[in-house]
Amino acid sequence: MDFNAAPCLAEQIADYLGDLIIRGHLQPGERIQEVKVTKELKVSRGSVREALLLLERRYLVQNVPRKGAIVATLTHTDIRGLYNLLGCLYALLGRDVVETWQTEEDLLPFDALIAEIEAAAFANDSDKLFCLSFGFSNVAKKLVGNTFLNQTLENLRPVFSRIYYQIVNHDPNELIFIADFLKKSMQLVRARAADENRELVKQYFERQCQVALSLYPDLGQTDKKIIS
């Protein structure tokens, strides 16, 4: 019999609070009151504290001495740094997909997801497209099987999700752009055009960074180019 360990209570609490942050129900700088969360979820204060530590590692919460946990604020420097890294990591993932796939059967899951993503984009279903986009990258990670790359991307997923959720809900045209990008990327993967795909991914993240910067207030950081 297989043993499937259920997520610990602290992880469940962290996922719940993290989703509230990602979807904007908890705003940057807003204090997360341990007592309030304890009462609302009917859990122990120790589990809530452990969950807040997990959220800090996910870059969603800051634990401030004598003040407690607050929703992390993303500066323009943070956003540029994140997208600089994401552009490099996803370019590596794309290269590995080009080098790894062997038969058309390997690419069928991508094709199915692209069809669903296009349908969600044309239906202006931002929530569905948001989820399917990460499903697309999950299929790529599974195909490639690069443990270290996969774990790094997974560690960055919560903070990336927070920005990405705002982007897909910002403008319906963004949904079409994302669907078109994924479709073009898969065409290049099929053609084993690794260099062209790398450039496409780089341009995609450069553009999305600029959209993200327009959605978050400038806290006074000096402008820097995202990807050199």
Side-chain angles (χ1 to χ4, degrees):
M1 180 181 294
D2 293 333
F3 173 72
N4 294 314
C8 74
L9 182 57
E11 288 177 339
Q12 293 179 53
I13 298 168
D15 289 344
Y16 171 77
L17 294 174
D19 192 60
L20 293 178
I21 294 170
I22 288 167
R23 294 176 182 274
H25 299 303
L26 292 174
Q27 293 295 309
E30 184 174 344
R31 186 182 173 195
I32 301 176
Q33 300 179 36
E34 291 181 13
V35 174
K36 183 179 179 181
V37 175
T38 297
K39 290 180 179 178
E40 284 183 358
L41 301 183
K42 296 181 174 60
V43 294
S44 71
R45 196 162 181 176
S47 295
V48 173
R49 286 175 177 169
E50 188 178 348
L52 293 174
L53 290 173
L54 289 172
L55 288 171
E56 187 172 37
R57 295 187 200 118
R58 298 174 188 178
Y59 311 107
L60 295 178
V61 158
Q62 293 172 300
N63 286 298
V64 182
R66 295 183 298 278
K67 187 173 182 181
I70 62 172
V71 177
T73 298
L74 290 171
T75 67
H76 280 200
T77 297
D78 294 331
I79 293 170
R80 289 190 183 94
L82 175 64
Y83 272 88
N84 186 11
L85 183 55
L86 288 172
C88 295
L89 293 173
Y90 276 101
L92 285 173
L93 182 62
R95 182 205 65 187
D96 287 352
V97 171
V98 169
E99 295 177 353
T100 301
W101 77 271
Q102 299 295 321
T103 68
E104 276 294 315
E105 188 175 351
D106 292 331
L107 302 182
L108 290 179
F110 295 104
D111 294 337
L113 279 167
I114 286 174
E116 289 190 74
I117 288 169
E118 285 186 314
F122 285 111
N124 195 23
D125 190 340
S126 57
D127 271 359
K128 187 172 184 180
L129 185 139
F130 174 78
C131 296
L132 289 171
S133 298
F134 286 104
F136 191 91
S137 62
N138 287 341
V139 170
K141 289 188 289 185
K142 183 177 180 180
L143 175 65
V144 168
N146 184 329
T147 301
F148 302 106
L149 176 58
N150 291 356
Q151 188 59 58
T152 302
L153 287 170
E154 192 61 28
N155 290 343
L156 293 172
R157 178 170 172 170
V159 66
F160 177 36
S161 295
R162 182 181 176 188
I163 300 172
Y164 187 57
Y165 186 82
Q166 300 303 316
I167 289 173
V168 299
N169 284 280
H170 162 65
D171 181 354
N173 290 325
E174 286 299 322
L175 307 184
I176 302 297
F177 182 84
I178 291 165
D180 286 346
F181 158 71
L182 293 173
K183 189 173 183 178
K184 290 175 184 175
S185 181
M186 278 312 302
Q187 290 171 348
L188 293 173
V189 166
R190 264 196 170 84
R192 301 213 186 262
D195 291 342
E196 291 90 338
N197 192 50
R198 182 182 66 245
E199 187 62 26
L200 179 70
V201 172
K202 175 183 175 181
Q203 292 174 1
Y204 171 79
F205 279 98
E206 285 178 338
R207 179 189 179 280
Q208 193 170 107
C209 177
Q210 295 307 312
V211 176
L213 291 172
S214 73
L215 296 177
Y216 283 80
D218 188 353
L219 301 181
Q221 285 74 20
T222 303
D223 285 342
K224 296 179 182 178
K225 189 176 180 182
I226 169 181
I227 298 176
S228 57

